[in-house]
Amino acid sequence: MATIYEVSKLAGVSLATVSRVMNNNANVSDITREKVTRAMTELGYRPNSIAQSLASNCSNSVGLLVSELHGPFYGPMMSGIETAFRKQGKHVIIAAGHSDEEREQQAIEFLISRNCDGLILHVEAISDDYLIELSKGKTPFVLINRYIAELSSRCIILDNVKGGYLAAKYVLEQGHTKIAYISGPLWKKDAQDRLTGHKQALAEYNLNFNEQLLYQGDFMEDSGAVGFQHLYNNQQQFTALICANDEMATGAMATARECKIKLPEQLSIMGYDNVFFTRHVYPPLSTINYPINEMGRMAADWVLSNVYQKTTPPLQTLFEPELIIRQSVLANPQ
């Protein structure tokens, strides 16, 4: 295997010059850069990334921790982040925490051990205190979908209370007053906030929230199916169903059809997230847009700006949900 010394000798330059070329230092002439690059190619030399990291104190890698690696929600976020870093010559190391406190901590420690220059964290189970303490360490990080007052400048969030409100308000505007709700796990802040917004809209219409029309799901498609069956078997009448994400909504739609319910004529259904398949299901699903791709790119910009001192567009920490109207919600004929 060729060494940096052999590259230096063949190119007729110093070791320091070879190092500057490998680190894309601007203080190298084009002629010299070409000589070094040609020597590296001729010798088949590949820079040792670990050695480069130790020498430059920069690994050019960023750690990304997400709750899950599957599903239509996290894919766009990971893609947006990876694309933004790839354009800047950085690489992403991905780990999953599975909404479990111990696994999330282990994943963070793993990413730090890989000498990541910065971290992007989508975490749900670890405590605010842990993250506040982590912020005192050497590895900078930004949070997605998590707000901590003490770390507000590094929290990129969606107004989920407003999102829950917009979903319910639209359904109420169509004349529905008997509305069932399938929530996410209510120990999660985003699930709590969406339900809070839902209740706010009901209160505006002088309607009480009926606990008998609530089912707590887990944001997975199967729980939407089970949730609908539970609500249906409860024999509580409802003309509309709002789900706290699109996956649960599609699960509920499938089970409703198995129960011979016509959609949307006999039951209106509303989702949340606006993942890619919502426009392709039948009927196309009305939902709330969660701009997770844009939020992922914003998290990447935060790292590029705060870790790599790159010039980026103005950083945005609070994103607004948007009502997406399709055909799954019909006016209630009363």
Side-chain angles (χ1 to χ4, degrees):
M1 183 180 294
T3 68
I4 189 173
Y5 302 101
E6 292 172 295
V7 173
S8 168
K9 183 176 180 181
L10 181 59
V13 299
S14 68
L15 291 173
T17 298
V18 176
S19 179
R20 283 195 291 270
V21 171
M22 289 191 299
N23 289 298
N24 292 315
N25 192 305
N27 297 321
V28 180
S29 70
D30 290 342
I31 294 175
T32 300
R33 189 181 302 277
E34 184 180 348
K35 285 165 58 178
V36 172
T37 303
R38 189 165 55 245
M40 291 170 65
T41 300
E42 186 176 330
L43 293 169
Y45 175 75
R46 284 183 170 273
N48 185 313
S49 60
I50 297 175
Q52 279 186 282
S53 172
L54 293 172
S56 65
N57 201 30
C58 177
S59 67
N60 285 316
S61 63
V62 177
L64 171 59
L65 174 56
V66 295
S67 294
E68 303 292 343
L69 296 175
H70 62 80
F73 180 80
Y74 293 104
M77 180 178 74
M78 291 188 285
S79 178
I81 289 170
E82 196 276 338
T83 298
F85 284 125
R86 176 74 64 165
K87 289 179 179 177
Q88 297 292 333
K90 315 299 179 187
H91 295 273
V92 179
I93 301 174
I94 300 174
H98 304 290
S99 301
D100 176 84
E101 182 176 18
E102 184 177 357
R103 289 184 178 186
E104 288 181 350
Q105 288 187 15
Q106 289 174 347
I108 289 172
E109 290 166 6
F110 164 75
L111 294 171
I112 291 174
S113 75
R114 302 303 298 173
N115 294 319
C116 291
D117 300 321
L119 306 176
I120 296 175
L121 305 177
H122 187 290
V123 289
E124 299 173 308
I126 53 179
S127 68
D128 289 357
D129 289 341
Y130 174 89
L131 291 167
I132 291 169
E133 190 64 28
L134 185 68
S135 71
K136 300 173 185 177
K138 295 180 179 179
T139 306
F141 65 86
V142 60
L143 297 167
I144 296 181
N145 196 36
R146 179 76 174 263
Y147 181 79
I148 301 173
E150 293 87 341
L151 306 176
S152 59
S153 64
R154 61 175 83 194
C155 298
I156 297 174
I157 59 171
L158 180 75
D159 187 343
N160 277 299
V161 173
K162 184 175 180 179
Y165 170 84
L166 290 175
K169 186 172 185 292
Y170 175 65
V171 171
L172 289 161
E173 287 173 344
Q174 307 314 305
H176 296 276
T177 56
K178 297 176 181 178
I179 304 172
Y181 191 87
I182 299 179
S183 75
L186 290 175
W187 65 268
K188 295 186 178 184
K189 187 65 166 57
D190 53 357
Q192 294 172 19
D193 287 348
R194 293 173 196 186
L195 182 56
T196 295
H198 177 86
K199 291 178 178 178
Q200 286 179 359
L202 292 179
E204 280 190 9
Y205 278 72
N206 297 314
L207 294 173
N208 294 320
F209 179 73
N210 185 350
E211 294 286 346
Q212 295 299 310
L213 289 177
L214 170 67
Y215 180 84
Q216 186 177 166
D218 62 6
F219 284 139
M220 301 297 180
E221 183 179 353
D222 285 349
S223 73
V226 172
F228 176 83
Q229 194 69 61
H230 170 83
L231 294 166
Y232 185 72
N233 291 344
N234 249 3
Q235 298 186 351
Q236 292 280 326
Q237 290 189 343
F238 54 96
T239 61
L241 170 64
I242 298 177
C243 298
N245 80 340
D246 295 331
E247 290 188 67
M248 293 192 298
T250 56
M253 291 171 80
T255 303
R257 285 199 180 88
E258 290 174 2
C259 295
K260 308 302 182 185
I261 295 173
K262 294 181 180 179
L263 305 177
E265 293 84 358
Q266 293 177 305
L267 179 67
S268 290
I269 297 185
M270 184 84 186
Y272 198 113
D273 285 342
N274 194 31
V275 298
F276 73 91
F277 60 70
T278 51
R279 64 182 67 88
H280 303 302
V281 297
Y282 184 79
L285 186 64
S286 293
T287 186
I288 299 297
N289 187 52
Y290 190 137
I292 191 60
N293 189 293
E294 290 84 352
M295 291 170 68
R297 289 200 299 265
M298 190 59 61
D301 281 350
W302 188 97
V303 173
L304 290 170
S305 175
N306 287 276
V307 177
Y308 296 111
Q309 287 72 54
K310 300 285 186 179
T311 300
T312 64
L315 295 173
Q316 177 183 354
T317 56
L318 177 62
F319 284 76
E320 294 289 328
E322 178 188 3
L323 175 65
I324 305 295
I325 299 174
R326 296 195 178 101
Q327 286 80 54
S328 65
V329 177
L330 284 185
N332 182 24
Q334 301 293 339

